[in-house]
Amino acid sequence: EISNRSFSRQELGLPEGSFVFCCFNNNFKITPEVFDSWCRILKAVPSSTLWLFAENEMATVALTKEAEKRGISRARVVFASRISNADHLARYKMANLFLDTWPCNAHTTASDALWAGVPVLTYQGEGFAARVASSLLMAIGLPELITSSALEYESLAIELATNPADFNQLKEKLEKNRLSTPLFDASQFTNNIEKAYL
């Protein structure tokens, strides 16, 4: 369930007019390599913000310091506190693009983002944990958001954030596919798994 609660960017600490990259994965999935990549994206898109999950105070402080070390102002890294799941899904509307982590991808969080209407950009690896988000994107008909290198991942993030027409087209495609592709078709999933059991 997505709640009817209407959030404003101001109450969430997000700047008006900013392109909001988000990642609500557990903080331990954010490796130095991933954070380097995100900071390069933020530098290339000056009017952007990174919105992360506030898992604990130590992680919040550490990530803020690491952003500053990489030349990113602490004002551009915003943290989202824990709230009810229905409200959490509703606040996703304030985000533009979900930036996935690697080698351990978003799992439930990628599904949440897509369900809430936020495109997910992923870097696909080799093992199961590195391919979950790409599997979700295939099931919702958005293979164009699957990349195979950090460079490709960064380039696509920058391209989407700086080309509103392309980004809006992608958002419209997600909205159209959300209820018409296999990913969230629970009835079809049920039928298929029952056939498999039989």
Side-chain angles (χ1 to χ4, degrees):
E1 180 189 355
I2 300 176
S3 82
N4 294 322
R5 186 170 169 188
S6 183
F7 289 92
S8 69
R9 282 197 167 189
Q10 185 177 16
E11 74 180 291
L12 296 170
L14 299 167
E16 295 294 339
S18 176
F19 189 94
V20 177
F21 295 107
C22 77
C23 182
F24 294 137
N25 286 357
N26 287 316
N27 294 161
F28 62 75
K29 290 186 179 182
I30 305 171
T31 65
E33 184 185 7
V34 167
F35 207 64
D36 284 342
S37 183
W38 289 352
C39 288
R40 284 192 293 269
I41 292 166
L42 289 171
K43 282 180 180 173
V45 187
S47 61
S48 63
T49 303
L50 181 61
W51 193 21
L52 303 174
F53 175 54
E55 193 168 340
N56 60 66
E57 187 60 29
M58 280 178 61
T60 298
V61 169
L63 287 165
T64 303
K65 282 182 181 174
E66 290 300 319
E68 289 182 318
K69 277 186 199 173
R70 290 162 173 80
I72 301 297
S73 159
R74 65 174 52 221
R76 295 182 67 195
V77 183
V78 177
F79 291 88
S81 56
R82 191 180 296 277
I83 56 176
S84 75
N85 198 55
D87 283 348
H88 171 62
L89 292 173
R91 75 179 166 186
Y92 258 113
K93 290 177 186 162
M94 296 297 105
N96 296 105
L97 181 66
F98 186 105
L99 294 178
D100 197 11
T101 52
W102 71 84
C104 189
N105 285 173
H107 295 200
T108 305
T109 46
S111 182
D112 284 349
L114 293 168
W115 179 242
V118 178
V120 174
L121 175 63
T122 193
Y123 170 7
Q124 179 178 272
E126 294 300 318
F128 164 78
R131 299 175 74 87
V132 176
S134 51
S135 179
L136 295 171
L137 288 166
M138 290 298 289
I140 204 166
L142 291 170
E144 61 266 48
L145 288 171
I146 302 168
T147 64
S148 56
S149 71
L151 182 60
E152 187 187 353
Y153 172 96
E154 290 171 32
S155 297
L156 187 51
I158 294 161
E159 182 185 328
L160 290 170
T162 55
N163 289 285
D166 290 348
F167 181 74
N168 290 335
Q169 196 172 20
L170 183 70
K171 284 275 287 184
E172 286 167 17
K173 185 177 179 184
L174 171 56
E175 189 53 38
K176 180 174 142 283
N177 290 5
R178 202 169 66 94
L179 299 178
S180 63
T181 53
L183 184 58
F184 297 119
D185 189 342
S187 298
Q188 188 59 52
F189 177 83
T190 303
N191 290 335
N192 288 344
I193 203 165
E194 286 174 348
K195 282 178 191 169
Y197 290 154
L198 289 170

